[in-house]
Amino acid sequence: MTEAPKAFQPRPRSVHDLLFAPGSRGVLIATSKDPDAKRTFVVTPPAGTYVDGPAGPVAIKIPVTVAAAAAITRETRMLIAIGKLDLGEFGRTVPRYLETLDSDGLPAVVTTVLRGVPMSVAYHRWLHTSRPRAVAEDFALAGGWLRHLQLATAGARTRITWAHEVAGDVRTRWSGHPKFEAAQVRLAAADRQLRGYRAAATVVHGDYWFGNLLVDDGRISGVVDWESGTRSGWPLRDLVRFALSYCLYLDRHTRPGREVRGHRGLRRIGFGAGIRYGLLEAGWLPDLVRLYLRTGLETLGLPTILWYGAALAGLGEIAATANDDDFAAQHLELLAGLPYWPLTDGTKPR
């Protein structure tokens, strides 16, 4: 008995077919040295290349490693899933999938280009994070975009088991680490706070930090890098990730041991001093952090008192999932050294 012939599957076009097509013009806009390193080009292909796509430039993300190829595959699936949702004009802030290309046997993804400048550009300008008004605008922009996404994609409400899931992931990666048990105790405390409530599952970006947010004319014009996203997940993930990442780099431009300009009591000492400051201390920035988290919780129909438990779970998630081992371990150690509950804002856990 002969085997039935398989249906013909055309080989994807090569990256070179687009990058070096007659009339194409492009520029490399991003590259990295991470384990899942990628190179991102913005290319203006010949007219008519994409009948249903943009007439202007497109973005091509090319993997450098096998791990990067897996990340690109995840992002491709995520963008296709989001593209099927009815998000109206809001959908224009998410890249639209156009094509998968072959890059020496690995997949490269082509998407629409979103207008705007990464929020990280303004963040790292001199004195930006020392000005209350500028920082408040950043939090308002990030929180506003996230609120639209979560309200537009909310599904059924289920009991919040996020912290418990994170604890399992941390156990898988860090069992045996000297700070593992202390971190697990904090995650257990977060789980006790969160699991008594229900939240609607939403689309989750998964890496919602200021480097992935594009700003144009005073609004969020785009959010990129969806490789860690999910079609239906815990919305607290994105809410907390932005706050933690914003605090983490507050001391980036300060010499070790010195006080960070504009933030009385914050010194560049060790890893995560900005996160401890934002979660535990008094000051205008910690006030903004807590306001942002509480406002996000209210949007999700949750008690504002849950902000700290959610922050602990968010730190654990970074420790469990960050692709750089040192970065992940530093978050584990930071989590292990935090109190079970903040002592400065007068709130008490249930």
Side-chain angles (χ1 to χ4, degrees):
M1 182 176 180
T2 59
E3 185 178 354
K6 295 181 180 179
F8 173 71
Q9 296 291 333
R11 182 179 179 86
R13 289 200 303 158
S14 167
V15 165
H16 297 83
D17 293 336
L18 191 58
L19 288 178
F20 301 112
S24 282
R25 293 176 291 113
V27 61
L28 176 68
I29 63 167
T31 188
S32 69
K33 298 180 180 179
D34 296 333
D36 59 351
K38 310 163 202 73
R39 296 190 178 101
T40 303
F41 290 83
V42 170
V43 176
T44 302
T49 300
Y50 296 102
V51 176
D52 298 324
V58 297
I60 310 176
K61 189 176 289 188
I62 303 172
V64 177
T65 65
V66 173
I72 285 176
T73 297
R74 293 194 302 270
E75 180 169 21
T76 298
R77 292 171 179 165
M78 189 65 192
L79 293 179
I80 291 173
I82 295 176
K84 295 177 180 178
L85 301 177
D86 183 11
L87 299 179
E89 288 297 311
F90 181 72
R92 295 180 180 273
T93 62
V94 179
R96 182 158 62 90
Y97 170 78
L98 295 174
E99 182 182 14
T100 296
L101 301 176
D102 175 75
S103 177
D104 296 325
L106 300 178
V109 64
V110 183
T111 69
T112 54
V113 172
L114 302 181
R115 186 182 183 88
V117 177
M119 186 182 285
S120 54
V121 173
Y123 181 97
H124 288 297
R125 284 189 186 131
W126 177 244
L127 299 181
H128 179 87
T129 55
S130 69
R131 298 188 176 105
R133 181 175 178 179
V135 174
E137 289 177 354
D138 289 345
F139 275 99
L141 287 175
W145 187 91
L146 200 56
R147 181 166 56 253
H148 277 91
L149 175 72
Q150 292 171 346
L151 292 176
T153 63
R157 298 182 74 86
T158 57
R159 191 170 302 279
I160 304 173
T161 58
W162 177 41
H164 177 74
E165 295 164 12
V166 167
D169 293 338
V170 169
R171 181 179 297 106
T172 299
R173 184 171 189 177
W174 294 113
S175 181
H177 188 283
K179 297 296 183 180
F180 167 72
E181 293 295 342
Q184 288 292 88
V185 170
R186 272 72 181 171
L187 291 173
D191 183 49
R192 288 194 297 272
Q193 295 163 25
L194 296 173
R195 71 164 47 248
Y197 300 93
R198 293 177 177 270
T202 70
V203 165
V204 175
H205 179 273
D207 193 17
Y208 194 69
W209 76 291
F210 55 85
N212 285 334
L213 277 58
L214 305 182
V215 180
D216 182 55
D217 195 25
R219 64 184 182 87
I220 298 294
S221 56
V223 177
V224 298
D225 290 346
W226 286 80
E227 62 199 49
S228 299
T230 181
R231 173 61 185 85
S232 181
W234 300 115
L236 293 173
R237 293 177 56 199
D238 286 343
L239 178 71
V240 170
R241 181 65 64 92
F242 181 82
L244 294 177
S245 65
Y246 202 98
C247 292
L248 177 61
Y249 299 102
L250 289 173
D251 59 2
R252 174 57 64 88
H253 303 293
T254 302
R255 292 181 180 179
R258 298 285 185 88
E259 185 170 88
V260 179
R261 187 184 295 267
H263 303 286
R264 181 174 298 178
L266 172 59
R267 293 182 177 275
R268 185 175 181 180
I269 301 175
F271 178 85
I275 291 178
R276 291 187 62 92
Y277 172 74
L279 296 180
L280 300 175
E281 303 300 334
W284 63 264
L285 184 130
D287 287 346
L288 281 176
V289 170
R290 294 162 197 160
L291 175 63
Y292 161 81
L293 291 174
R294 288 170 173 151
T295 300
L297 286 163
E298 284 182 334
T299 296
L300 297 170
L302 293 169
T304 60
I305 198 173
L306 301 181
W307 71 270
Y308 188 73
L312 293 180
L315 283 171
E317 182 176 82
I318 299 172
T321 62
N323 58 19
D324 182 271
D325 285 339
D326 289 338
F327 189 72
Q330 288 171 324
H331 278 84
L332 180 78
E333 293 161 7
L334 176 61
L335 170 63
L338 291 177
Y340 306 153
W341 196 255
L343 306 176
T344 58
D345 68 350
T347 59
K348 296 293 181 183
R350 293 192 174 193

